[in-house]
Amino acid sequence: MSSAGLSFLLLLLTLSELPLKAVSTTHWGDIEALKELKNGLDPGSISPGSCLSSWDFSVDPCDHLFSDHFTCGFRCDALDVSGHARVTEISLDQAGYSGTIFSSSWDLPYLQSLDLSNNYLSGHVPVSVSNLTSLHRLTLSRNMLSGEIPSSIGSLSSLEELSLDNNWFEGAIPTSLINLVSLRRLEVQGNKLSGEFPDMGTLKSLSFFDCSDNGFIGGVPVDFSSSLVEVSMRNNSLEGNLPINNIGDMGFLQVLDLSHNRLSGPVFSALFNHPSLQQLTLSYNNFSWLQVPGTLGTQSELIALDVSNNGLQGMLPGFLGMMPRLAVLSLENNMFTGMIPPQYAVKAVFPVEGASSFERLLLGGNYLFGPIPRPLLDLKPGNANVSLVDNCLFRCPQSFFFCRGAVQKSSVACRSFGLVMIP
């Protein structure tokens, strides 16, 4: 090819590139939304090397994802009808960003995931978050956000995960959240929320719910979804009896934590026959007694049971030592009486094929009396964590590791409870 022909070909190639450079790859609305997000943050909190430090709007965002600009923090996947790239995910790094997101319009109709967690964002969540109509995942955890949870979140019909935990949100859970019929995970723990729970029966897909460490009142909801696998309502002000019929219908439930509340009444036997429940934590409540299941616990799936620090009375229930999978049992600081059932000692000392031995057996702080079961006397430190302190047992010297940490109750205390005296 002649030099003239080569020059002409180079000219054509140059001209063919000009229209592409003149047209932005990223939709202009998405660019403006990204600018609003960055402009709302404190410039002093955007450190060198962080995701936001690479956001240089002198170039096109989606067209420079693999260059020195816009190196992280979001991704572009979708193309709209006009051929523009659209932002589908924003996931900021945990770089200590501060500032607010209140002024953001959130005009990002293709955004599916928004994760701003583990930073120092403050202020209210804007109602404009409802503009994120394609959102599947909203994570604002572990910031300093305050005010009420905006009811506009309830219009995000595609939302599957909502994590607002460990902020300063206050007020009640908006009733609009019952419209999130696709929601699988809801986390609001570690806030200042209060009031009673709205009807949650419409959340048929919900599998994980955590509202711990708030100020919720009323009873445990009776309309929980049967699809729930894990529920934690620890450290609130819940009262009343357990809604046992509802819990019994939750056929996939594996973890239930209702500790540090004001719940009362019996611990129903159905919990010990539940088809899937593996971890049950009811400590620091006002429960008064344990119902004995007709099966004596032999069909229980429980691995860990904690009912410590209640007002549980009666003889120490032997059936708990017959649960085949139970490895962790805490009955501390109640008002149980009677002798230690031999089933407990056998389960702690002698492994049985196909069944779990006690890895932790905490019986301190009750009114148990009589001799220590003979098998326990041969238990060596490190084989199991066992505690029998602060009872009315006959001869529990410090030479046994499970008697260390506190002495047995005085004769006066044991007599006042109507027990056999300690000689």
Side-chain angles (χ1 to χ4, degrees), residues 136-139 141 149-150 153-154 159-166 169 172-191 193 197-203 205-212 214 216 221 224-225 227-233:
H136 291 180
R137 179 172 177 261
L138 175 59
T139 303
S141 308
I149 298 173
I153 290 179
L159 203 61
E160 298 177 0
E161 296 184 25
L162 177 58
S163 299
L164 305 175
D165 55 285
N166 295 287
F169 291 117
I173 292 181
T175 56
S176 63
L177 294 194
I178 67 175
N179 298 321
L180 303 178
V181 294
S182 299
L183 200 64
R184 294 185 290 107
R185 188 179 188 92
L186 176 57
E187 296 189 66
V188 294
Q189 69 271 22
N191 283 287
L193 299 171
F197 293 96
D199 181 352
M200 302 180 68
T202 58
L203 305 182
S205 300
L206 194 65
S207 61
F208 182 96
F209 176 54
D210 193 342
C211 67
S212 303
N214 280 288
F216 291 112
F224 267 143
S225 169
S227 61
L228 276 161
V229 175
E230 184 168 342
V231 176
S232 180
M233 308 179 78

Side-chain angles (χ1 to χ4, degrees), residues 19 84 126 143 284 294 305 322 333 412 414:
H84 286 108
N143 278 288
Y284 292 94
L305 172 64
M322 301 172 64
N333 302 319
V412 174
C414 293

Side-chain angles (χ1 to χ4, degrees), residues 117-162:
S117 59
N118 292 286
N119 283 289
Y120 297 98
L121 304 179
S122 59
H124 295 188
V125 176
V127 295
S128 57
V129 73
S130 61
N131 292 335
L132 303 174
T133 53
S134 298
L135 204 63
H136 291 180
R137 179 172 177 261
L138 175 59
T139 303
L140 303 176
S141 308
R142 293 175 293 281
N143 278 288
M144 301 168 64
L145 299 168
S146 59
E148 296 186 350
I149 298 173
S151 60
S152 58
I153 290 179
S155 65
L156 302 176
S157 58
S158 298
L159 203 61
E160 298 177 0
E161 296 184 25
L162 177 58

Side-chain angles (χ1 to χ4, degrees), residues 22-305:
V23 177
S24 173
T25 300
T26 314
H27 189 276
W28 67 270
D30 291 14
I31 296 176
E32 291 303 311
L34 293 175
K35 285 181 179 179
E36 286 179 345
L37 174 58
K38 183 175 181 179
N39 291 338
L41 304 184
D42 179 4
S45 69
I46 302 176
S47 58
S50 65
C51 284
L52 283 177
S53 67
S54 72
W55 286 19
D56 178 3
F57 292 99
S58 66
V59 294
D60 187 84
C62 294
D63 201 29
H64 291 79
L65 286 174
F66 303 103
S67 71
D68 292 336
H69 307 285
F70 298 99
T71 56
C72 61
F74 75 102
R75 63 182 291 174
C76 304
D77 283 325
L79 294 176
D80 62 16
V81 292
S82 64
H84 286 108
R86 306 305 299 254
V87 175
T88 57
E89 179 180 337
I90 295 177
S91 182
L92 295 187
D93 49 339
Q94 302 171 21
Y97 302 119
S98 61
T100 72
I101 56 174
F102 185 76
S103 61
S104 297
S105 65
W106 295 113
D107 187 14
L108 293 165
Y110 287 79
L111 193 70
Q112 298 176 15
S113 178
L114 175 61
D115 186 349
L116 308 179
S117 59
N118 292 286
N119 283 289
Y120 297 98
L121 304 179
S122 59
H124 295 188
V125 176
V127 295
S128 57
V129 73
S130 61
N131 292 335
L132 303 174
T133 53
S134 298
L135 204 63
H136 291 180
R137 179 172 177 261
L138 175 59
T139 303
L140 303 176
S141 308
R142 293 175 293 281
N143 278 288
M144 301 168 64
L145 299 168
S146 59
E148 296 186 350
I149 298 173
S151 60
S152 58
I153 290 179
S155 65
L156 302 176
S157 58
S158 298
L159 203 61
E160 298 177 0
E161 296 184 25
L162 177 58
S163 299
L164 305 175
D165 55 285
N166 295 287
N167 281 283
W168 295 347
F169 291 117
E170 57 188 6
I173 292 181
T175 56
S176 63
L177 294 194
I178 67 175
N179 298 321
L180 303 178
V181 294
S182 299
L183 200 64
R184 294 185 290 107
R185 188 179 188 92
L186 176 57
E187 296 189 66
V188 294
Q189 69 271 22
N191 283 287
K192 300 179 180 180
L193 299 171
S194 58
E196 297 189 17
F197 293 96
D199 181 352
M200 302 180 68
T202 58
L203 305 182
K204 301 296 185 182
S205 300
L206 194 65
S207 61
F208 182 96
F209 176 54
D210 193 342
C211 67
S212 303
D213 303 310
N214 280 288
F216 291 112
I217 60 174
V220 177
V222 298
D223 51 9
F224 267 143
S225 169
S226 60
S227 61
L228 276 161
V229 175
E230 184 168 342
V231 176
S232 180
M233 308 179 78
R234 179 185 63 252
N235 196 24
N236 281 284
S237 298
L238 304 178
E239 298 178 312
N241 292 0
L242 295 175
I244 192 57
N245 291 334
N246 179 248
I247 294 176
D249 292 338
M250 297 160 66
F252 301 98
L253 187 65
Q254 296 181 10
V255 178
L256 178 61
D257 187 348
L258 300 174
S259 60
H260 293 268
N261 280 288
R262 302 171 186 170
L263 300 169
S264 57
V267 178
F268 293 105
S269 60
L271 292 169
F272 305 118
N273 288 328
H274 196 281
S276 60
L277 189 59
Q278 298 177 15
Q279 181 177 323
L280 176 61
T281 308
L282 301 175
S283 55
Y284 292 94
N285 278 286
N286 299 315
F287 292 110
S288 55
W289 56 289
L290 298 180
Q291 281 189 349
V292 179
T295 61
L296 297 180
T298 56
Q299 298 178 8
S300 175
E301 294 294 317
L302 278 173
I303 298 173
L305 172 64

Side-chain angles (χ1 to χ4, degrees), residues 360-386:
R360 188 182 307 158
L361 176 61
L362 307 179
L363 304 178
N366 285 285
Y367 290 85
L368 306 177
F369 61 84
I372 298 172
R374 182 67 183 81
L376 285 179
L377 300 179
D378 297 325
L379 191 64
K380 304 300 181 184
N383 291 344
N385 179 8
V386 177

